[in-house]
Amino acid sequence: MLVLGVDPGLTRCGLGVVDGGPGRQTSLVEVGVLRTPATDDVASRLWALERGLGEWIDRHNPDAVAVERVFSQANVRTVMGTAQAGAVAIVTAARRGLPVALYTPSEVKAAVSGSGRADKAQVTFMVSRLLKLSDPPRPADAADALALALCHLSRGPALARMRAAVRQAPAVPGGSL
Amino acid sequence: MLVLGVDPGLTRCGLGVVDGGPGRQTSLVEVGVLRTPATDDVASRLWALERGLGEWIDRHNPDAVAVERVFSQANVRTVMGTAQAGAVAIVTAARRGLPVALYTPSEVKAAVSGSGRADKAQVTFMVSRLLKLSDPPRPADAADALALALCHLSRGPALARMRAAVRQAPAVPGGSL
């Protein structure tokens, strides 16, 4: 299973493709960062991001796309750009019929390090360890994108099983689900 | 000149197409609201919005698209949805090569009512008056979308002249601009 993780941002958008699945070594396929110039208008930046994301998706043809779920942050300006970039990532994947999963930063941190309050250094360390990388991925946005993909690989199968169980459960009043 | 105004939102996205230009009566072409069910996941909602917006753009072939610029609001959940829907509107227009203009709520209010602090009733009243509508557009998102289009019609030419002046100014050191 191939997962594309997206750490959305207008200035830097982290992208990481990870290959993995039950009983297999999880491995890095590609990691990188899309950048758009702050001097460009928002429309040009979002459109550049859409084209860049589309190229990554078309090149790797992932089975799923995992995008960071944006919540409130201290800096409202930053959170707007993150929400806009995230929306473009979501819609670029959805348009291609790909499943899109959203994870909060603490879900991602917990999935790779065991703690929802892990710091950036810890996340980068664990991403390198889980993917057996000799050098840590830089910048932090790239490491975060890989963490998102790893989070989906670790949680995806469990979620899929849960959803399948719900679908297969008898839809009768008083049923066990 | 045909302008599509977009008041972005996931639950209700207001759309309004207005025709106008120097020395002509400004008139309503179409107004409406796109809705996506809150029970759907964000990816489905953003994609539905993209398709709906694309249909409006393809049907009317506007010269420009005016989208509300999202700032911080009291409700962070709402602002996220607005930012995401706005990003989809921006990128849907940009992908078609259309100019996208962003206006703050107070710029829009000032353009149609003369006051940046006009309330919803005042904006709806002025939109109806400027477009000579016998009934006020409902819901408020539809009126806001028309106000955005009217704002662009009133400000667009001035902005275009300003940009042209900057482009035509001599690019020499010590020049007057």
Side-chain angles (χ1 to χ4, degrees):
Chain A
M1 188 183 188
L2 215 58
V3 179
L4 168 64
V6 182
D7 183 37
L10 274 182
T11 305
R12 285 186 311 276
C13 181
L15 298 174
V17 180
V18 170
D19 183 36
R24 297 168 53 197
Q25 166 59 32
T26 306
S27 64
L28 169 70
V29 178
E30 188 179 351
V31 64
V33 170
L34 295 176
R35 294 167 199 272
T36 70
T39 46
D40 281 7
D41 59 36
V42 175
S44 307
R45 299 180 81 182
L46 291 176
W47 191 34
L49 207 57
E50 177 177 270
R51 281 173 292 161
L53 282 158
E55 281 166 19
W56 272 68
I57 293 176
D58 294 342
R59 188 160 69 245
H60 292 292
N61 195 22
D63 299 292
V65 178
V67 183
E68 190 178 292
R69 187 190 293 275
V70 184
F71 277 113
S72 70
Q73 289 172 4
N75 187 332
V76 174
R77 241 187 100 93
T78 307
V79 94
M80 286 300 118
T82 311
Q84 290 174 319
V88 167
I90 291 167
V91 92
T92 303
R95 196 186 312 126
R96 287 165 170 79
L98 295 177
V100 179
L102 303 178
Y103 298 105
T104 65
S106 48
E107 284 173 326
V108 174
K109 288 171 185 174
V112 299
S113 79
S115 163
R117 285 179 292 176
D119 62 18
K120 286 217 169 277
Q122 212 175 332
V123 169
T124 299
F125 174 81
M126 283 308 299
V127 164
S128 309
R129 198 174 179 288
L130 292 167
L131 293 172
K132 301 191 188 299
L133 307 177
S134 49
D135 294 309
R138 298 269 178 241
D141 314 77
D144 285 347
L146 291 172
L148 273 152
L150 289 168
C151 173
H152 185 72
L153 275 173
S154 71
R155 299 183 47 144
L159 285 175
R161 275 197 303 275
M162 215 164 68
R163 285 184 192 132
V166 171
R167 272 197 304 273
Q168 283 160 20
V172 292
S176 62
L177 271 170
Chain B
M1 188 183 190
L2 215 58
V3 179
L4 167 63
V6 182
D7 183 36
L10 273 182
T11 305
R12 285 186 310 276
C13 181
L15 298 174
V17 180
V18 170
D19 183 37
R24 296 168 53 197
Q25 167 59 32
T26 307
S27 64
L28 170 69
V29 177
E30 189 179 353
V31 64
V33 170
L34 295 177
R35 294 168 200 271
T36 69
T39 46
D40 281 7
D41 59 35
V42 174
S44 307
R45 299 179 81 181
L46 291 176
W47 190 36
L49 207 57
E50 178 176 271
R51 281 173 293 161
L53 282 158
E55 281 166 19
W56 273 68
I57 292 176
D58 293 340
R59 187 161 69 244
H60 292 292
N61 194 22
D63 299 292
V65 178
V67 183
E68 190 179 291
R69 187 189 293 275
V70 184
F71 277 113
S72 70
Q73 289 172 4
N75 187 331
V76 174
R77 240 187 101 92
T78 306
V79 95
M80 286 299 118
T82 311
Q84 290 173 319
V88 168
I90 291 168
V91 93
T92 303
R95 196 186 312 127
R96 286 165 170 80
L98 295 176
V100 179
L102 304 178
Y103 298 104
T104 65
S106 48
E107 284 173 327
V108 174
K109 289 171 184 173
V112 299
S113 79
S115 164
R117 286 178 294 176
D119 62 18
K120 286 217 169 277
Q122 212 175 333
V123 169
T124 299
F125 174 81
M126 283 309 298
V127 164
S128 309
R129 198 174 179 288
L130 292 166
L131 293 172
K132 301 189 188 303
L133 307 177
S134 50
D135 294 308
R138 298 270 179 242
D141 314 76
D144 285 346
L146 291 172
L148 273 152
L150 288 168
C151 173
H152 184 72
L153 275 173
S154 71
R155 298 185 47 146
L159 284 175
R161 275 197 303 276
M162 214 165 69
R163 285 184 192 131
V166 170
R167 272 198 303 272
Q168 284 161 18
V172 291
S176 62
L177 270 170

